[in-house]
Amino acid sequence: MLISTRSRFASFILVLGILLIAANLRGPVTGLGPVLDQIISYFDLSASQAGMLTTLPLLAFAFASPVAAKLAKKQGLEISLFLALILIAIGLSSRLIDSVIVLYVGTAIIGVGIAIGNVLLPSLIKRDFPHKVALMTSAYVLSMGIFSGSYSALLIPLAAYKDIGWAVALSCYGILTLISIIIWIPQLRLHTKLTKGLLAPITNGKIWHHALAWQITLCLGFNSFFTYIIIAWLPNILMETGYTAQEAGVLHGTFQLATATPGLILIPLLAKLKDQSILAISLAIIGSICFLGLLYLPDAAFVWSILLGFSSGAIFILGLSYISYRTNHSLQAASLSGMAQSLGYTLAAIGPIATGMLHAYFESWTTTLWLCAITCFLSGVFGYLGGRDIKLDEDV
């Protein structure tokens, strides 16, 4: 049902529901970062075990994303998104149970819920806002950043309030999830099934043999790699340079807020740029400098967090835009998107575990920050190549 056929109030409730679903698609995972040190101490986890905790949602993304389309074809978009919220709520509630196994299982369940939301929310927007896709996409990315960033900034003081602890503080996000579920209930009277027009099947294997497809995939993949390392470990990195846990949480939130802001600037700008090569490499250079700034000038971490978040978010938006700009039709775009997400989630999943092990081995974050600086620059190199004003071959 198109937005134009709804009443004004029904349209408002739909938009509010979309923004609230988006608000649940990052915070429940990124909120682990500020209290990860407390979780490590409480359960006596190793660095690799802690890294696995932040990696589980990413693995869930990779495995659950194909299931999301099948679920929507059976149950419809509205019910599937409702189920995504229910799964996130169950995962958040499980954090109240004093068990490390339940913590891992609950985090994986959250990842499955987020994966369903990540796959299906753009399809809903494509259906109900066909002429405002860029605007609505920017709005929901901004919603993700605002809520996850604010949550990260508030987690430490919330956990310290009357000594409620990290588990209750993490579970408190479930209040927002519950509100989202209530707001989404009116949409359940609809059972819109997915069609090829909303989510095309990813069947074209030829895409993996095209250099341009690999350039775009590696741009997004390396971006995901360093971004999820920072989401997992930035508070710990900052605390080792002398910041308090609360200050580190605020800076972690600042980083996330900054990742959401580029959409406001880039969406109108991209419409005027046929070639995005220089923009991509420039953003990557800024990001690489920020990583080295965190290492050698940690006193300016506030500046580095803002600039790093902006460059990370901007490269991500550029990479996503390449999927549209460098393809000839929706089936080709779906194939490229599937390829980019598959490798991107794999690289993102490797990052937190690998860097946790590196820190345990070297007892320093130096290697990790240099690795992030290099991969950030590499994302820019492939972004430069993918940003040229060319398209995939018609028969790919």
Side-chain angles (χ1 to χ4, degrees):
M1 183 182 291
L2 293 179
I3 193 74
S4 58
T5 66
R6 300 174 186 263
S7 69
R8 184 170 294 182
F9 179 73
S11 299
F12 170 76
I13 292 298
L14 173 62
V15 172
L16 180 60
I18 288 171
L19 295 180
L20 284 173
I21 289 174
N24 286 275
L25 299 184
R26 184 180 290 174
V29 172
T30 60
L32 288 168
V35 293
L36 190 58
D37 205 44
Q38 295 181 38
I39 295 172
I40 290 170
S41 298
Y42 188 82
F43 288 117
D44 194 25
L45 301 179
S46 67
S48 58
Q49 288 172 329
M52 175 55 75
L53 187 61
T54 59
T55 293
L56 268 175
L58 303 174
L59 295 174
F61 293 172
F63 287 111
S65 293
V67 177
K70 294 178 182 177
L71 179 66
K73 284 175 183 175
K74 260 191 173 182
Q75 301 297 331
L77 282 169
E78 295 80 11
I79 291 177
S80 298
L81 287 166
F82 183 76
L83 290 173
L85 290 173
I86 295 294
L87 288 171
I88 293 169
I90 291 170
L92 287 167
S93 301
S94 73
R95 288 172 172 174
L96 292 170
I97 300 172
D98 188 10
S99 164
V100 68
I101 294 174
V102 173
L103 178 63
Y104 276 90
V105 172
T107 301
I109 291 171
I110 289 171
V112 173
I114 291 176
I116 294 170
N118 275 334
V119 171
L120 300 184
L121 198 58
S123 300
L124 185 82
I125 289 172
K126 186 176 180 180
R127 183 197 72 186
D128 285 344
F129 302 89
H131 305 298
K132 296 182 179 178
V133 172
L135 177 64
M136 286 301 299
T137 301
S138 295
Y140 92 71
V141 170
L142 191 62
S143 177
M144 287 168 62
I146 289 172
F147 280 93
S148 62
S150 302
Y151 184 48
S152 288
L154 293 171
L155 254 176
I156 296 299
L158 181 61
Y161 180 71
K162 294 187 177 180
D163 294 323
I164 65 172
W166 59 266
V168 175
L170 283 176
S171 300
C172 281
Y173 207 92
I175 297 170
L176 177 64
T177 310
L178 180 60
I179 293 170
S180 306
I181 289 169
I182 293 168
I183 294 295
W184 193 250
I185 286 174
Q187 310 304 326
L188 298 184
R189 60 190 176 84
L190 302 172
H191 305 279
T192 311
K193 304 294 175 67
L194 274 182
T195 64
K196 288 186 179 181
L198 288 176
L199 189 65
I202 301 167
T203 57
N204 193 345
K206 290 183 181 178
I207 200 84
W208 291 80
H209 302 288
H210 201 286
L212 180 58
W214 274 101
Q215 289 156 8
I216 294 168
T217 295
L218 289 172
C219 170
L220 282 166
F222 281 126
N223 178 262
S224 297
F225 180 82
F226 72 75
T227 298
Y228 277 95
I229 289 172
I230 291 301
I231 285 173
W233 294 114
L234 180 60
N236 295 66
I237 292 169
L238 293 171
M239 283 188 284
E240 282 202 10
T241 62
Y243 286 89
T244 65
Q246 185 168 336
E247 289 169 339
V250 169
L251 290 171
H252 188 254
T254 300
F255 166 79
Q256 291 182 74
L257 284 169
T259 62
T261 55
L264 301 173
I265 301 168
L266 282 186
I267 295 297
L269 178 63
L270 288 175
K272 300 175 183 178
L273 285 177
K274 289 186 177 180
D275 187 307
Q276 298 87 24
S277 297
I278 299 301
L279 181 59
I281 194 69
S282 299
L283 288 165
I285 290 171
I286 292 171
S288 296
I289 291 170
C290 290
F291 280 117
L292 298 180
L294 285 171
L295 179 60
Y296 297 111
L297 291 171
D299 288 346
F302 180 72
V303 175
W304 305 133
S305 297
I306 291 176
L307 291 176
L308 182 57
F310 184 88
S311 59
S312 168
I315 293 170
F316 178 68
I317 289 172
L318 271 180
L320 289 181
S321 71
Y322 291 168
I323 292 172
S324 296
Y325 293 152
R326 307 296 171 243
T327 53
N328 298 288
H329 48 78
S330 61
L331 281 172
Q332 199 175 63
S335 295
L336 179 55
S337 178
M339 176 182 176
Q341 286 189 55
S342 175
L343 185 61
Y345 286 144
T346 302
L347 284 171
I350 291 169
I353 294 180
T355 49
M357 294 171 69
L358 283 172
H359 177 260
Y361 182 79
F362 290 106
E363 297 184 346
S364 164
W365 291 108
T366 301
T367 308
T368 293
L369 288 171
W370 268 104
L371 178 63
C372 287
I374 292 167
T375 51
C376 182
F377 182 73
L378 287 174
S379 76
V381 170
F382 288 109
Y384 178 90
L385 296 170
R388 294 169 295 164
D389 186 20
I390 55 176
K391 286 183 181 286
L392 290 167
D393 296 337
E394 285 279 359
D395 61 342
V396 172

